[in-house]
Structures are given as C-alpha cells and as structure tokens.
Amino acid sequence: MTKNLEQMKCLFEPQSVALIGASGNPGKISYNILSNIVASGYKGKVYPINPKGGEIFGYTVYTKLEDIPGPVDHAIIVVPAQMVFDSVKECAAKKVQVIQIITSGFSEVGNTEEEKQIVKYAREHDMRILGPNIFGTYSATAPINSTFGPADIMPGGVAILTQSGALGAAMIGKTKAENIGLSTIVSIGNKADIDEADLLEYLMYSDQTKVIFMYIEGVKQGDRLVKKLKEVTKVKPVIVVKSGRSKRGAMAAASHTGSLAGADGVFDAIMKQCGAIRAETVQESLNWCKFLSNTSLPKGPNTVIVTNGGGIGVLAADACEKYGVPLYDDLETLKGIFADKIPSYGTTKNPVDITGGANPAGYEKCLRAAFENPEVHSVICLGCETAMIDVENLPGMLEKIYHDYKDTKPMSFSFFGGDAIEKMVSDLRAKGIPIFNETYDCVSIMGALYKNLHNINEPAEDFSFVDSIKVDEVRINEIVNKVKADGRTFLLAHESAELMRAAGVSMPISKVAHTLEEAVDLATGMGFPVVMKVVSKDIIHKSDAGGVALNLENRDEVIDAWEAIMHNCRKYNPNAKITGIEVCEMVKSGTETIIGARQDSSFGPTIMFGLGGIYVEVMKDVSFAALPISKKAAMNLVESIKSYPLLLGVRGEAKKDINAVLETIIRVGKVLLCCDKITDIEVNPLVAYEEGNGAKAVDARILLTKD
Ligand code: COA
C-alpha cells in the first residue's frame, strides 16, 4: 500500500479522531461535528480537545492533544484561523496522519502564505491536510460523519467529492431526498494539499464505492488528476460537474476558492480523454449516480426503445444520438420479437411503437419479450398518458418488470402525463426505479451507462508507437539553454526551425545570409522559388516591418528583396540590430493545419490541433488533449475538430497525410515534455500533403519560461 493510500485510509477509516476546538455549545460548528460523529455510530476512539476540559456527549475532553493516552491518526481542527498553525504543530508532535482543517480564512480570502506554510510544515512532518475551508467528511465504511451538515445520511455506493462546501452540505440532504446512498462525501475546500487525485486513489479500491461524482470549480496540478482519472475510469464511473464554464462563472469560481478555473474547452476535452463523464447540472449527475450505482452493465450495445407514442419515440431517438446510446436496428430480429404482440398499425422498427392503444398488459408482453431476447441488451420504456394506459395497474406492472430483469439488463422509464402519471413517477422513483417525466432524462442515464461501458472495454493506452519516435533531447535543451543565456524568452525563427529539426519535424531548408552575395548563393544552392525573412531579435513581427518576401523566382528578385527588406526594417526600427536575412525554401501549398503545445496553468503540458487560417481564427475549431498522448489519442484529437472531413478529402480532393500529422503532433508534444523551460510551441502552419507525401511545418514559434 502506498503512503498516500495509507493516509487516505486514515481519512476515511480512522481508528481514532481528535476534535481540536470541541465545544459544548450547541451553537458552535464543532459541537455539531461531534454530535454527527456520535450519531453516525463511529466505533473508533473519539478525543474532544478544549483548554476548558470537562466532558461533551459523555467523552472526556482533553485540554491538550499531547495528553491523549493512545495514538491519534486523524485530527479535525475547528479553531479560529490564527490558532490553526499551532494546532497543526501539536498534531505533528502526536504523529497524526491526516488533518481536516474546517476553518475558513486562508487562500480563499487571500491568506495564501499562511496556508502554504501550514501545508509545507505538515508535509515535512509526514502529515496530510484536507482543506482548509471545508465542511468535513462522511464515510460509510468507518462509518463516521465528521461533517457539520445533516446527521441523517443514507449509506450506499456513491462517493461525492466537492469543492463547494455549501453545495456539498446541501447534497447530503438532496441525496437523502432522492434515495441515493453515499459511500462518502468529502469537502475539499481550498485543496491546499489533498486533492481529487489523492482521494481517487482510495476510492478506486473502495469496495463500498460504485460511482464517483466530483464537483469541481478549478483544477490545480491537473497532470496528477489526469493520470489518476485514466486509471479509475477503467474500473468505475467518474461523473464530473464543473462550474466556471462561462467567463463570468470562471471569475466567480476564482475568487471563491482562490484557484484558477481552467479554460472550459481544455477541461472538457481532457475529461473526455480521461474517460470522466461530464454532466451539465448537479441534478443530472445525481440521476446518473443513482442509476450507475444500482444497475448492471449492459452485455452489449443493442438498446431497444418501447413506446406507445411516435413523438416521444422520436424524441428519445434524438436523445440517444446526443447521449451516445446505441440503438439496435436488426429489423428481422425486432420483427421476430414484437410483430405478434402489437397491432398491425404499430411499428417493430426501433423505436418500437406499440401504439396508443397499449394497456399495461400490452406493455408487459412487449417488455418481457424484449428482456428475454438475448440480442437485446438494454431497454428504454416510454409512455404518454392515454385513456388506455390504466394508471391503476401500470405502476405495479413496471415495478415487477424492474425487479424481474434489473440484475440482468439495464432499463430506464419515462412516462409523461397528468397528476396521476406524475404521482406514479415520483412513487416509483422513491422505490429506486429509474423513471422520469422527461424523455431526455431517461435517455441520458443510459448514455452515462454506455460511456462507462466504453471506458471499461477500451484497451489500455498503447504508447509503443510514441516510444518509437525519438527526438534529440540533448540538442533541444542546448538550443534552449543558449537562448536563455542570451537573456531571451523566445526563439528566433531560425532557432525554432533548428529545434524543430532536432525533434524530427520536417521544416523548410533555411540558412541565414549575412551578405547579399551569401543570400544569392544560398538561394541558388537550394533552388528557386525561395522566401526571405529578416533576422533580428528587435523585430518580432517580421511581416509588419516589411521584413518578409515570398515566392522569389530568380537571382534578380533575391537582390531586390534583400534591398527592400533592409530598407523597410531600418525604417521600421532604426535601432534594430539586424543579424542577417534568412533564405528559406518556399513550401508548396497544401492543407494548412496548426499544432500548439503549452504548459496549461491547470493541466500542465497540453496539446492543441486545428486546421489553419479561418478555421482556427474565426471558427475556433480546435481540439485539446493532455500530454503525453498515445497515437490513438492523437487521432482522437485530429478527428474531434469539426473540419476534420477536409483532411479526409472533400469534393474529389485526395485524402491528406494524416499519419504525418499525427507523427508531428507526437513530436511537438515530446519537445514540450523534454524541456521544462519551454512554455509554448506553435507550429503554424503545418502543411499537410496528399497521403504518402508527408507534412511540412512552415513556421514555428517557441516561448520560454520567464525565470
Ligand atoms: N485548542 C482547542 N480548543 C480551543 C483552542 C485550542 N488551542 N483555542 C480555543 N479553543 C476552543 C474555544 O474555547 C471554543 O470552545 P468554547 O465554545 O468551549 O469556548 C472552541 O475551541 C471554538 O473556538 P471559537 O473561538 O469559539 O471559534 P468558533 O467555534 O466560533 O469558530 C471556526 C471556529 C473554525 C468554526 C470558525 O473560525 C470558522 O472558520 N468558521 C467557518 C467554517 C466554515 O464555514 N468552513 C467551510 C465550510 S464549507
């Protein structure tokens, strides 16, 4: 067991708990925490600490932590902020393993330095900190409820990790109201030390936990989260809600938790890459959690919709496309299952319309036939209220069907209608049956289930192709160090080109000429047409300065271009030190793409891909992924832009060399990973030629760290 796992065990399954700041005053937070610990039936040792001593809830109150006779593995600090550090020091002396700091007043209000010092001290003394600024933790395994939220929590299979304390506390009540059992609920607060990645390590192995739900406001150390999520989602579903999607929301989240909400596009893409299932709303995620923690996995993709109305059938089919629910369409088998059970004017095509005349007995016949057929793997049952539907007998039939088949095949229901239908839906939901009024809700839970199935079945990432691609790390670092030594945080064009060549990225042949004669010789040597660009660290935007000349066909044009560039640049910036003029091979035209790699403030090394020109500038049609990426993930990156069909070739154009693009993506990613002084790389454009003819980077910009 890793040290982290051991310490997370002390958080979720402590042997002994010290409550520092325990008060006998029912108006105090610490009193409520102790009251919840008692009510949860915690079997370990409980040590309230308060300088006044005495007794609370029958427990002896110790005046100091050091006076406790036995060991303490878990401490909860509930004293005002200015006393927290001293309490943490006392915990170190007592060899506490994990500390929950309930107290507010740290980085969320700008008191970042003290928070950092506390964590540094704790880590130096082998202790882990949850919080500060949290409402506590509930764990069904211990069991222990050390929150100051509601006392009444239903144990079950859903783990909730929440960055918002208030929302978390409310979710305790909400899950109870919705009959959702919790394995744990953890408030992470400022995430000064313990974060989602640490907690996921424990939850992955927790038998009690069937589904994990994370409410995230901002991501810190996203690279750790990515690694852990990829492991966990292969074993159990992880559902994510992220606030701060809009610019305004992100600003509110940043001031709320003291952490930066990552750009939503990056977050969304990386969650998909890791197999986390992203929900839009808390309600949606709770629906998914409840369903996924109670249902069996489908044995295959064949979902059948049974409906008494064509309209809701079509709505459900739309929703299936949106949520990725695969619909069964073997017409012969469907006919075999349903034809003799529905009127001739019904339809056996999926959605199967058993017609508005269907009564509970008619539904039952069709549903049982679907469940009994081995080709059908899951069922969505829909209904609109009609006079035939017989709301008296319908609920009993649905309940029976649910119990007869729930352990073998997943199913969800949606019924729409008046008061009696609404009552039936809420009564059946209270009994744990996945039934909704809204068709989309009923389909979305099935979508989450199929996403989970896809994650579980997905083969482990294969990095053999990526490993076979080598970049010259020594040369790359030499080039960067030389630029650093020159006091610059950006590479000049010819330096970037040299670095890219060291990474095996195909760049146009290029050399810097220091005299006109040299330029003419170089151009003649590499063959016309050529491009000429000014080389000066004082001129970054070369085109603006008139420092670029394209498509030079012969010796005379090179001579004219030399004169013009020198003249323009001297006029643009008379003080600019001009090193020379770069003469480059003119790249043939093809499909322009763009590859970016950067150190993201939330997720660390990330990569971006898009088509060049208007697609990236106007349409913002780009995709993101966290590094490192396998060849398959690189392919997902390329396929997920909307303009991907252009790479496949449209209107009779040939398919482009996608393999060459993938290889360049992998090489650019490797450059970022092999040199921690590089913050940004942009290869723009990378011109992709027809399949088999490769791709060529025309230009590369590379930025370095400021320190
Ligand atoms: N060791 C142990 N106990 C101590 C102590 C020490 N060094 N110093 C003081 N105490 C005792 C106090 O005497 C008091 O007990 P009493 O009621 O018997 O007098 C108890 O600890 C609590 O201290 P007090 O000063 O009364 O603080 P409080 O209970 O009013 O508030 C916090 C403490 C932590 C709750 C408050 O500072 C806070 O941060 N509140 C916000 C919490 C929150 O919202 N978290 C985020 C949720 S999402």
Side-chain angles (χ1 to χ4, degrees), residues 20-25 28-29 49-52 78-81 83 87 102-104 133-135 148 165-166:
I20 304 174
S23 170
N25 176 349
K28 299 268 167 152
I29 283 181
I49 315 286
N50 186 310
K52 294 175 189 160
V78 205
V79 292
M83 295 176 204
S87 299
I102 304 288
T103 313
S104 302
N133 188 30
I134 57 173
F135 76 82
F148 61 93

Side-chain angles (χ1 to χ4, degrees), residues 32 76 81 87 121 146 194 221 230 248 269 304 322 331 341 369 378 409 411 437-438 449 554 558 593 601 689:
N32 287 288
I76 305 167
S87 299
Y121 179 90
S146 63
I194 294 175
Q221 294 190 287
K230 282 185 182 176
R248 188 153 266 255
V304 169
K322 172 172 172 173
L331 299 181
K341 296 171 190 67
S378 53
K409 291 185 185 179
M411 72 193 87
N437 294 119
E438 178 53 62
L449 183 66
N554 53 44
V558 168
T593 65
S601 57
Y689 299 112

Side-chain angles (χ1 to χ4, degrees), residues 10 51 189 199 222 301 310 324-325 395 407 417 437 488 507 596 602 680:
C10 296
L199 300 167
V325 178
D407 294 333
N437 294 119
R488 276 182 286 132
M507 296 286 295
S602 296
D680 296 76

Side-chain angles (χ1 to χ4, degrees), residues 158-185:
V158 177
I160 300 181
L161 313 183
T162 170
Q163 211 175 334
S164 160
L167 189 61
M171 277 196 276
I172 295 181
K174 179 71 179 163
T175 49
K176 179 88 198 333
E178 298 233 352
N179 237 339
I180 300 173
L182 300 181
S183 68
T184 183
I185 180 158

Side-chain angles (χ1 to χ4, degrees), residues 83-119:
M83 295 176 204
V84 167
F85 204 167
D86 284 344
S87 299
V88 170
K89 288 177 183 160
E90 287 162 27
C91 289
K94 191 69 191 165
K95 299 212 172 332
V96 168
Q97 292 296 309
V98 68
I99 306 173
Q100 296 193 65
I101 303 180
I102 304 288
T103 313
S104 302
F106 292 93
S107 67
E108 82 284 3
V109 291
N111 184 10
T112 307
E113 207 34 55
E114 194 179 6
E115 185 176 291
K116 275 193 191 149
Q117 280 173 15
I118 289 173
V119 171

